[in-house]
């Protein structure tokens, strides 16, 4: 079911358990998160009985390491919480099985190496793939069976059912290296169901989009969705990179900007003093502009950059309810 190297799976399991515990007081949000997990587990071939085995192992592990802190009341609480979570995931997977495949087979119809380590890959799923701008999908390549990595979709939904991924190849990155450097037109990949909640809202506010690296992908999709909607809020898209050569999508962004006067694209470079444009760290440059207090904000990029940007925005008076964030998903 799972890949030979389980380090990423362990991290994801721990992250999911932590998130479930923190969300216990928000049943609506927790239900949505667990529903997504249940649907996503279908691509592994997970069945209802597997949740029982995992639950038994989880409780036994916690009991062993909790030592004297463990008692019958604690055990009952863990069993009840896990059972409730598992039931939600099982129910969501069962409901999804009647309307959607567990995974999609997709053909690579275009592959552009935009930088030595960054590729833009265009895929056409064999079946209709319904998604919302800002979501991401998990990807499996023939080179690494059973190894899935997640990538944000870099476009809004299209009539031709194609999706684009922005992929940076990292040293030791199994899937990212396969997609960016070894994939060719005509190859096939597997896609998991679209997930994620960083979708554009209909607040009527102007938008600030802050991207770092390939975190541009979901923000570009959100801008495309705004274009398709016919609405005309003012949109500022800040695109950060270490060097000018890492601004891999600028020609397309410039074309978008030239066609829509309400869209302003601002490239930012942090480690190239000779760059003829805005220089500095993205959170620092963002603070040089007028107040963003009345904007709806979308942020995606490396975790450190995202966290610092969100802190700055909160200090500037923007409530968390108007800050939509995500970290780069598929950098492994």
């Amino acid at each position: 079911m799972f890949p030979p190297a389980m380090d990423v799976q362990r991290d994801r399991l721990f992250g999911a358990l932590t998130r479930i515990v923190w969300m216990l007081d928000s049943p609506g949000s927790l239900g949505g998160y667990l529903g997504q997990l249940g649907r996503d587990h279908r691509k592994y071939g997970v069945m209802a009985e597997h949740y029982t085995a995992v639950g038994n192992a989880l409780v036994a592990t916690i009991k062993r390491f909790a030592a004297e802190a463990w008692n019958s009341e604690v055990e009952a609480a863990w069993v009840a919480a896990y059972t409730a979570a598992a039931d939600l995931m099982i129910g969501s997977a069962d409901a999804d099985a009647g309307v959607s495949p567990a995974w999609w087979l997709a053909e690579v119809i275009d592959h552009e190496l935009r930088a030595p380590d960054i590729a833009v890959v265009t895929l056409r799923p064999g079946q209709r793939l319904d998604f919302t701008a800002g979501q991401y999908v998990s990807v499996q390549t023939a080179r690494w069976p059973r190894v899935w990595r997640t990538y944000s979709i870099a476009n809004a939904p299209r009539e031709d059912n194609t999706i684009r991924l922005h992929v940076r190849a990292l040293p030791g990155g199994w899937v990212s290296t396969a997609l960016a450097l070894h994939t060719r037109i005509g190859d096939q990949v597997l896609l998991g169901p679209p997930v994620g909640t960083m979708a554009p809202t209909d607040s009527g506010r102007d938008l600030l989009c802050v991207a770092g690296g390939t975190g541009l992908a979901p923000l570009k999709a959100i801008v495309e969705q705004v274009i398709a909607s016919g609405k005309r809020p003012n949109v500022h898209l800040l695109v950060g990179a270490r060097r000018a050569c890492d601004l891999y999508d600028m020609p397309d962004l410039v074309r978008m900007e030239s066609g829509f006067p309400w869209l302003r694209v601002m490239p930012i470079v942090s480690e190239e003093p000779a760059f003829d444009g805005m220089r500095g760290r993205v959170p620092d440059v963002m603070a040089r502009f007028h107040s963003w207090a009345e904007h709806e904000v979308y942020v995606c990029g490396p975790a450190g950059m995202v966290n610092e940007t969100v802190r700055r925005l909160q200090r500037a008076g923007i409530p968390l309810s108007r800050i939509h964030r995500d970290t780069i998903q598929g950098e492994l």
Side-chain angles (χ1 to χ4, degrees):
M1 241 185 237
F2 296 103
M6 285 293 291
D7 53 334
V8 173
Q9 289 301 133
R10 285 194 297 268
D11 290 344
R12 287 178 177 171
L13 175 60
F14 183 77
L17 290 170
T18 302
R19 186 167 178 178
I20 288 169
V21 169
W22 279 108
M23 295 173 75
L24 285 175
D25 292 332
S26 303
S29 299
L30 179 59
Y33 174 67
L34 291 172
Q36 282 194 347
L37 278 182
R39 291 189 294 273
D40 192 51
H41 287 165
R42 292 181 59 216
K43 71 177 186 285
Y44 291 108
V46 172
M47 296 183 290
E49 54 265 34
H50 294 138
Y51 286 95
T52 301
V54 171
N56 291 339
L58 174 65
V59 171
T61 302
I62 297 172
K63 179 178 181 178
R64 175 182 174 185
F65 288 96
E68 66 276 1
W70 190 263
N71 57 43
S72 58
E73 184 179 0
V74 172
E75 181 169 351
W78 269 101
V79 170
Y82 179 83
T83 300
D87 287 346
L88 280 169
M89 289 187 281
I90 293 168
S92 178
D94 288 344
D96 194 57
V99 297
S100 179
W103 43 262
W104 285 255
L105 184 65
E107 180 184 0
V108 178
I109 63 171
D110 195 26
H111 187 285
E112 302 175 64
L113 195 62
R114 298 278 185 86
D117 60 346
I118 300 176
V120 173
V121 184
T122 305
L123 306 172
R124 179 181 288 122
Q127 295 174 267
R128 186 70 194 177
L129 180 69
D130 293 318
F131 66 94
T132 303
Q135 289 190 304
Y136 54 89
V137 292
S138 49
V139 182
Q140 179 186 139
T141 66
R143 197 179 184 92
W144 295 108
R146 295 181 293 134
V147 179
W148 296 83
R149 294 292 181 266
T150 52
Y151 294 90
S152 293
I153 301 173
N155 57 276
R158 297 172 173 173
E159 288 294 327
D160 65 2
N161 195 36
T162 60
I163 66 170
R164 278 191 167 181
L165 308 178
H166 295 180
V167 182
R168 182 189 297 275
L170 294 184
W174 295 3
V175 178
S176 66
T177 301
L179 283 173
L181 305 182
H182 301 294
T183 297
R184 300 293 181 264
I185 292 174
D187 289 351
Q188 293 184 321
V189 300
L190 295 182
L191 304 176
V195 294
T197 59
M198 198 176 67
T201 64
D202 193 18
S203 67
R205 298 179 182 274
D206 291 338
L207 305 186
L208 169 64
C209 299
V210 185
T214 54
L216 169 64
L219 304 186
K220 186 178 180 183
I222 288 171
V223 173
E224 282 193 10
Q225 186 62 48
V226 172
I227 292 172
S229 73
K231 298 178 181 178
R232 296 293 178 266
N234 291 312
V235 179
H236 288 77
L237 174 58
L238 278 60
V239 184
R242 292 181 178 177
R243 302 162 298 171
C245 63
D246 294 325
L247 295 168
Y248 62 90
D249 206 35
M250 282 310 299
D252 201 31
L253 294 177
V254 169
R255 282 193 294 271
M256 290 174 63
E257 183 182 38
S258 65
F260 302 95
W262 45 265
L263 171 62
R264 186 179 179 192
V265 178
M266 294 170 283
I268 302 167
V269 170
S270 62
E271 297 181 7
E272 192 172 318
F275 178 66
D276 186 19
M278 284 182 283
R279 297 190 301 273
R281 297 168 60 248
V282 172
D284 296 332
V285 173
M286 178 188 67
R288 299 174 194 168
F289 291 85
H290 60 79
S291 172
W292 305 109
E294 298 305 316
H295 285 63
E296 201 80 24
V297 184
Y298 298 85
V299 187
C300 188
M305 167 260 172
V306 170
N307 293 337
E308 177 62 21
T309 298
V310 171
R311 281 194 293 269
R312 298 281 188 97
L313 292 167
Q314 285 186 273
R315 286 204 298 266
I318 302 179
L320 271 176
S321 61
R322 285 199 273 115
I323 303 174
H324 313 275
R325 58 184 292 175
D326 204 352
T327 55
I328 293 176
Q329 299 290 328
E331 296 285 74
L332 293 174

